Amino acid sequence: MKKIMELMAEELSAAFEKAGYDPAYGRVTVSSRPDLCEYQCNGAMAGAKAYKKAPFIIADQVADQLKDSRIFSMVEVVKPGFINLKLDESYLASWLNEMATHEKLSVNTAEQPKTIIIDYGGPNVAKPLHVGHLRSAIIGESIKRIGRFVGHKMIGDVHLGDWGLQMGLIITELKHRQPELVYFDETYTGEYPSEAPFTIGELEEIYPCASAKSKEDEEYRKEALEATHLLQQGNPGYTALWNHILNVSVTDLKRNYANLDVSFDLWKKESDAQPYIPEMVQHMKDEGYAYEDQGALVVDVKEESDTKEIPPCILLKSDGASLYTTTDLATIVERMKLFNPDEILYVVDKRQELHFIQVFRCARKTGLVKEDTKLSFLGFGTMNGKDGKPFKTREGGVMRLENLISEIDEEMFHKIVENRSVKDKDAQETAKIVGLSAIKYGDLSNQATKDYIFDIDRFTSFEGNTGPYILYTIVRIKSILSRFKENGGDLEAGTLLPAVGISEKNLMLQLAGFGATIENAFEEKAPHKICAYIYEVSNAFNSFYHETKILSEEDPMRKQSYIRLITLAKRVLETSIDLLGFTAPDKM
């Protein structure tokens, strides 16, 4: 289905051509002066130099070709040569009626669907999720959903950190605490217990304790390094413990991500990439890409065009140990072999940018990916507190994610109870739905690459550019439709009629922008554009609602048209928030 802007541009391009000018000048944009017009074309200004004519002469000639246009109700030339445009109300209503029957509300399915692996989440096992994990999860989930909606095969991978010194530290601390466990008996040949010798709570206490000890006690650190080495060499007892750590951690991680309505197709781990490392490293040596430098094995990735120093990519340390870089490269090898993706997109803290520049260049230089495989990095900014510093607990520590969610749910519960719009027994569940909108919209309404202030008071407000305000708008529409139906109305009957009021037409114009917004948001990996759009739609609906007696309208055809219009608004808003990763309750 063609977008309304495309159709307008085609009309303008044809008019430019008929007037004897290049049709490329027929580009249409949303007006920067909505008090004067809805859209504008500045092509005459751009063409003046090429045709050595005053822009208003070109504009007049183009406008003359649009006298009988069925698309525009107004075509007006304003000096020095702007063409101001208003959409014809009948044409707009007709286009929206078609949009309402379109499977994806005017969003076109990609003609050449791509397979895109999106790497987001990135938690470490044995550690609780904290607020630092929030942005990756929320942004990645939204981009995955938008990509699927426009027709691509999106594969979400959590990419767990499970293979470094942290494993050795946990094993060492367990050995100190419970040396009698069979996992530490080198003569043991039986089956290892199926139940883990620790709970998630104990595991989360063990790691920081072990980490602190290793910084103060060199012997303890050496023991942990040896345990890590033994694990990576396949020690059976340590491998059994490692599996317990994974199972307990992943179960807890899945529960926490489910609370955020975030899910992954793959629960791949750093350890999954280990088998690919030896062959990958050998390939880089054999082809002359890798060389020794001060005992380490490195690959040069600097380029002549670099304006800053890009250090070599270190594959192996002098002791032969691999690094994150090695694992990330081997993960690319694994992904290419298993999925042959068209693109691998990483949603990671922007402070990791240099690391990914090195990894991407190394992967491309050494032929780990095909020439047309795209490697992308979306680096997100920091979530800060009101003091402008990284968000902390009141005590100054890193806040656990489930505590943040709980705090916001509690805030929403109090507001909903004060509002008295939901019965007490439903208020708790409603608070969770609205609280999630506050968190996700609060994050996603900011451009991903920028730092932002996480302000609980503002994000949980029912007014302004917030998740709860968007949900309140959807709930208001649901309430009107519910009352209409209760009074015997048919939600499917009738058709959208041309607008008779300014606020009605403005709502129609906003809804017409849905398809272009979604496609652009995916193209630019920018969920904040959907947030900005639905805020405008919500404002447009609420203006229309306050100025229009929808249910008491006496003309039955006009009333039915209003119902069709707000039904379309509800579908647009609900589809949009689903792409952002949250839903709306029936009442608030």
Side-chain angles (χ1 to χ4, degrees), residues 68-179:
D68 301 319
S69 170
R70 65 193 180 93
I71 291 183
F72 300 110
S73 62
M74 183 197 90
V75 180
E76 185 178 82
V77 176
V78 179
K79 286 189 176 181
F82 300 111
I83 303 174
N84 289 353
L85 306 161
K86 283 188 179 178
L87 258 181
D88 180 80
E89 285 79 2
S90 296
Y91 185 84
L92 176 58
S94 169
W95 189 89
L96 286 172
N97 278 314
E98 185 186 349
M99 173 185 168
T101 63
H102 191 267
E103 182 191 2
K104 292 183 179 177
L105 300 172
S106 81
V107 174
N108 294 318
T109 300
E111 289 180 11
Q112 296 178 310
K114 294 177 180 175
T115 297
I116 301 172
I117 292 178
I118 177 164
D119 183 318
Y120 66 109
N124 289 316
V125 300
K127 295 183 187 177
L129 287 179
H130 56 75
V131 292
H133 294 108
L134 187 69
R135 299 213 72 190
S136 178
I138 288 177
I139 297 166
E141 179 71 18
S142 181
I143 292 172
K144 182 187 74 179
R145 292 182 181 209
I146 300 166
R148 282 182 182 162
F149 192 73
V150 299
H152 298 294
K153 182 181 180 182
M154 306 293 291
I155 303 170
D157 185 4
V158 70
H159 194 64
L160 292 170
D162 72 326
W163 202 240
L165 176 59
Q166 72 202 62
M167 293 297 116
L169 287 166
I170 293 166
I171 291 168
T172 299
E173 183 59 21
L174 272 170
K175 189 174 183 179
H176 280 231
R177 293 183 184 193
Q178 301 180 68

